[in-house]
Amino acid sequence: MNWDQVQGNWKQMTGKVKQQWADLTDDDLAQANGDREVLEGKIQERYGDSKEEAKRKVDSWIDSI
């Protein structure tokens, strides 16, 4: 799967995102609204990751779905 597919199906994907990153709130996901950079920023905020680490985690997650 690629990010365009995730973005196009964002409402359906939010459950999978919450499964992966349980600390993200519904409000976080609504703000991200399929925008990868915003999602990475929210992951950085909630988990204390660096920008590179958040990007790597999202890449890994996309590869796994």
Side-chain angles (χ1 to χ4, degrees):
M1 183 169 277
N2 64 40
W3 190 257
D4 289 335
Q5 292 169 311
V6 172
Q7 190 174 26
N9 296 305
W10 183 247
K11 289 188 182 204
Q12 294 87 345
M13 298 304 294
T14 56
K16 291 183 180 188
V17 173
K18 285 201 67 152
Q19 248 181 343
Q20 182 70 28
W21 295 287
D23 289 349
L24 294 178
T25 65
D26 290 336
D27 191 46
D28 291 335
L29 298 178
Q31 288 177 14
N33 195 29
D35 185 318
R36 181 183 173 133
E37 289 184 10
V38 175
L39 177 62
E40 290 172 1
K42 296 296 181 183
I43 293 168
Q44 283 180 265
E45 288 176 24
R46 298 282 180 216
Y47 292 91
D49 294 337
S50 68
K51 184 173 185 169
E52 295 78 22
E53 181 66 13
K55 182 181 181 332
R56 187 195 62 74
K57 284 182 176 181
V58 172
D59 286 341
S60 177
W61 174 72
I62 290 171
D63 290 342
S64 73
I65 55 173

